[in-house]
Amino acid sequence: MSGRAKPRYDKDGLTVHSDPNSLRRVTKALRGSGRRVTLVPTMGALHEGHRELMRRARSIPGSTTVVSLFVNPRQFGPTEDFDRYPRAFDADVEMCREEGVELVFAPDVDTMYPPGFATSIDPGPLGGELEGAVRPGHFAGMLTVVNKLFAIVAPDVAFFGEKDYQQLTLIRRMVRDLDIDVHIVGVPTVREEDGLARSSRNAYLDDVGRRASIAISAALAAGQYAGEQGPAAVVAAARGVLEAEAALDVEYVELRDPELGPTPEIGPARLLIAARAGKTRLIDNAAVSVVRRETGLSG
Ligand code: PAF
């Protein structure tokens, strides 16, 4: 471990580290002094959803929170938006300070992936379904960076939004499968007043797309309501709302069990939607309670 790198920014009780080893030393010392360390991993361009993650993290008694800001190239496909993904470092640091966060980790790409870097986490079959079917390699890249963040920060608790429900599910599975000593907390999605789930990519929406996007949360609500009529009715109700919105192209509407296994006949389930408004892909999901069994399920 090198001991040289200095924090890149240190002001008003907030320190930005870009060197993993300098941050590792700090979090190790904190744990040694009896504090708990909490982690909010992000790709920056922070919004109210991230603010809620920070608030939840900061509410753990006797804890210090690390927020990571790193646009991870390994979770973007070659035709995806890595280059134009919004970056807002100063505003991000400001929001961290507003929320009383003391430690920010903002490494460079070369620091995270030095020449010769070759290891990656295999997400298993779920990594090729839903989002993974449209975004090959996305979940391997995401799990690899989350695993590295866990190794660097060694948090006691880490916070992720339910908005990216498949991501959250795969992280929970990785932690279980690889015996990683961290408690994962899923935080409910923060929405705009009209229902649109907060996301850094909402910044790409034009007026037409922004208006059309409301149909996604409306479709989830229609699906939840149809839970009384069985699983196929849930999917049909959600699809009906989405297909009535001409400016949306539906990619998938799926009802899965809460761990994203097959559609349950009855009981708790998760309804997941992906749709495009112009060039902007939007995803959202909601818990559904299926209270009536149905025959002739079509998956
Ligand atoms: O949800 C995100 O912002 C990213 O996928 C994460 C978890 C920070 C990993 O890069």
Side-chain angles (χ1 to χ4, degrees):
M1 260 188 224
S2 100
R4 287 163 301 155
K6 290 224 167 34
R8 146 167 161 197
Y9 175 106
D10 197 341
K11 202 169 149 235
D12 302 336
L14 183 147
T15 310
V16 179
H17 292 262
S18 49
D19 175 56
N21 294 323
S22 80
L23 178 63
R24 197 193 314 271
R25 274 195 300 277
V26 173
T27 57
K28 198 171 172 187
L30 285 166
R31 275 192 308 280
S33 71
R35 285 191 76 77
R36 279 187 284 187
V37 175
T38 58
L39 173 66
V40 177
T42 82
M43 296 206 299
L46 303 181
H47 50 69
E48 293 305 305
H50 296 114
R51 197 188 287 281
E52 182 61 19
L53 298 180
M54 291 187 229
R55 287 188 177 166
R56 293 287 298 271
R58 295 264 303 128
S59 73
I60 306 276
S63 70
T64 298
T65 299
V66 179
V67 172
S68 64
L69 306 173
F70 179 63
V71 186
N72 173 33
R74 292 191 171 238
Q75 66 188 79
F76 290 78
T79 61
E80 290 184 352
D81 55 345
F82 174 70
D83 287 332
R84 73 177 186 126
Y85 194 83
R87 286 157 172 92
F89 181 77
D90 292 340
D92 291 345
V93 171
E94 190 47 40
M95 187 188 283
C96 292
R97 192 205 325 279
E98 278 165 23
E99 293 308 318
V101 167
E102 288 160 60
L103 295 167
V104 167
F105 181 46
D108 296 332
V109 171
D110 289 349
T111 304
M112 290 298 266
Y113 302 117
F117 184 94
T119 304
S120 119
I121 301 278
D122 181 347
L126 179 57
E129 299 172 24
L130 297 162
E131 284 304 283
V134 189
R135 307 184 64 191
H138 167 68
F139 287 121
M142 180 280 294
L143 288 181
T144 302
V145 83
V146 169
N147 197 45
K148 279 178 71 78
L149 292 169
F150 288 168
I152 293 163
V153 177
D156 297 283
V157 192
F159 296 79
F160 296 87
E162 285 185 352
K163 151 92 176 29
D164 295 304
Y165 190 81
Q166 189 176 7
Q167 164 172 289
L168 174 62
T169 306
L170 284 167
I171 291 168
R172 287 202 157 113
R173 186 166 298 175
M174 173 179 78
V175 163
R176 204 168 56 219
D177 288 352
L178 301 185
D179 299 303
I180 302 173
D181 189 13
V182 58
H183 179 66
I184 303 298
V185 174
V187 177
T189 303
V190 176
R191 297 179 179 281
E192 304 281 357
E193 267 181 27
D194 63 13
L196 176 64
R198 298 274 185 153
S199 161
S200 305
R201 288 190 170 97
N202 292 352
Y204 301 153
L205 288 167
D206 61 16
D207 289 351
V208 174
R210 178 65 187 83
R211 274 194 298 277
S213 67
I214 302 167
I216 297 177
S217 54
L220 291 171
Q224 286 175 312
Y225 190 68
E228 293 182 356
Q229 297 158 51
V234 170
V235 174
R239 241 184 208 287
V241 174
L242 293 169
E243 285 170 1
E245 175 48 73
L248 280 185
D249 289 323
V250 183
E251 278 187 1
Y252 61 75
V253 180
E254 289 209 27
L255 188 68
R256 298 278 186 111
D257 75 25
E259 295 218 349
L260 300 184
T263 310
E265 284 184 44
I266 195 157
R270 204 85 193 177
L271 179 59
L272 302 109
I273 291 175
R276 276 182 195 276
K279 288 193 174 141
T280 309
R281 268 192 97 242
L282 298 167
I283 59 171
D284 203 349
N285 67 88
V288 172
S289 182
V290 180
V291 295
R292 209 182 81 179
R293 214 176 281 275
E294 201 167 37
T295 51
L297 262 188
S298 59

